[in-house]
Amino acid sequence: MRQRLRAAGWFLVPMLVALAIVAGWPLLRTIYFSFTNASLTNISGAELVGFKNYLNWTVLKSGRVMWSGLLADPVWWNAVWNTVRFAVLSVTLETILGTVVALVLNAEFKGRGLVRAAILIPWAIPTIVSARMWSWMLNDQFGIINDLLMMLGLIDHKIAWTASSDTAMIAVLIVDVWKTTPFMALLILAGLQMIPRDIYEAAAIDGVHPVKTFWKVTLPLVRPALMVAVIFRLLDAMRIFDLIYVLTPNSAQTKTISVLARENLIDFDKFAYGSAQSTMLFLIIALMTILYIWLGKVRFDGGDR
C-alpha cells in the first residue's frame, strides 16, 4: 500500500510542477506588482510602495483627510456589485433551469440520446462567438429579438438591449443562461443517474406523488452533485470577462472586476493598480469558495459530511 501511495505521489509531481509554472508564478508576480508603482512601460523599474494601491490617505492643511486607492474607489465598488449581482442571478437561474432540463433528460423517451447531444450545442459554442451572435440578434435596428417580441405584442417599440442602462445586465444574463444552463444540466444529470431506480419503483408502488418524490428522494440524493455544480459555475461567473467585454463594452452597469482590471492593466497603463484589482478578485473568489464549501458542507467525493 505504501509503495502504491509513493508511486501515486510521483505521478502527481508533473501536474504540480505545471500548476506552479502556469498558475502559481503568475499569481505571485501579480500580488508583488500590486505593492509597487509598476507601469506597463516600466515594469522592470517598479519600486515598492506598500499598500498605497489598496488604500492611502492624505491629511490636508485644513485637517480634511483625502482617501485614495482601490478600497476608496467608487468605480471599483461598482464593479464588485456588478460581479456579485451577475454571479448570484446567473448561477441561481442556471441551477433551476439546469435541474429541470436534467430531470427531462433523465426520463425514458424515444430520441433521448439525440436530445442530449442537441442541448449541449450552446455550451459547445465558444463564448466570443455566442456574444457576437447575440449582439446582432439583440440589436435595436436589425435584431430579430425585437421583431419577435413586437410580433407577439410583448413590447410596443424596439429596445436597445445592450446599449440601454436599464436592460444591459438583463441582456448579459439572458445570453449567459442560454449558454451555460446545458453545463449545469450535464453535471446534475450525472448525479441523477447515480440514484437507484428501485427507489422510484418503490415510491410508485406506495402511491407517492411525483412532486413529493422529487422533494423527499431526488433532491436529497442529488444534492452532492448539485452543490459541486454550483461551486464550479460560481467560480466561473465571478471571473466573467469575454461575454461582457464583447456584448456591452464600456457599460458601467455591467462592467465586472475582470473587465475593470484589464482596462487598468492594458488601456490606462496603471499596471500596479490593475494588479491590485486582480489580487482582490482572487481573494474575493477564494473567500466565497471557502465559505460556500464550509456552509454548504460540500464534499468533492460525492458524499455528505
Side-chain angles (χ1 to χ4, degrees), residues 105 109-119:
L105 294 180
F109 61 90
K110 192 176 180 180
R112 185 175 64 170
L114 183 63
V115 175
R116 284 182 177 180
I119 207 166

Side-chain angles (χ1 to χ4, degrees), residues 57 161 213:
W57 63 89
W161 292 95
T213 303

Side-chain angles (χ1 to χ4, degrees), residues 102 106 184-195 222 225:
N106 195 44
M184 294 291 285
L186 192 65
L187 294 180
I188 297 169
L189 179 62
L192 288 173
Q193 303 230 310
M194 299 294 289
I195 301 175
V222 81

Side-chain angles (χ1 to χ4, degrees), residues 208-224:
V208 181
H209 195 277
V211 176
K212 189 175 182 180
T213 303
F214 171 77
W215 290 107
K216 297 294 183 181
V217 176
T218 305
L219 200 57
L221 292 178
V222 81
R223 178 181 172 275

Side-chain angles (χ1 to χ4, degrees), residues 213-255:
T213 303
F214 171 77
W215 290 107
K216 297 294 183 181
V217 176
T218 305
L219 200 57
L221 292 178
V222 81
R223 178 181 172 275
L226 196 63
M227 298 294 280
V228 173
V230 169
I231 189 63
F232 282 169
R233 184 64 202 114
L234 186 64
L235 291 175
D236 203 30
M238 288 294 294
R239 299 174 303 182
I240 183 71
F241 173 78
D242 41 8
L243 180 62
I244 289 176
Y245 187 74
V246 174
L247 203 60
T248 58
N250 302 318
S251 173
Q253 283 69 36
T254 60
K255 187 173 291 184

Side-chain angles (χ1 to χ4, degrees), residues 140 143-159:
D140 59 327
I144 190 174
I145 301 296
N146 278 313
D147 290 338
L148 285 174
L149 294 177
M150 291 181 70
M151 192 182 303
L152 294 172
L154 298 176
I155 59 175
D156 55 6
H157 63 280
K158 291 187 175 182
I159 300 173

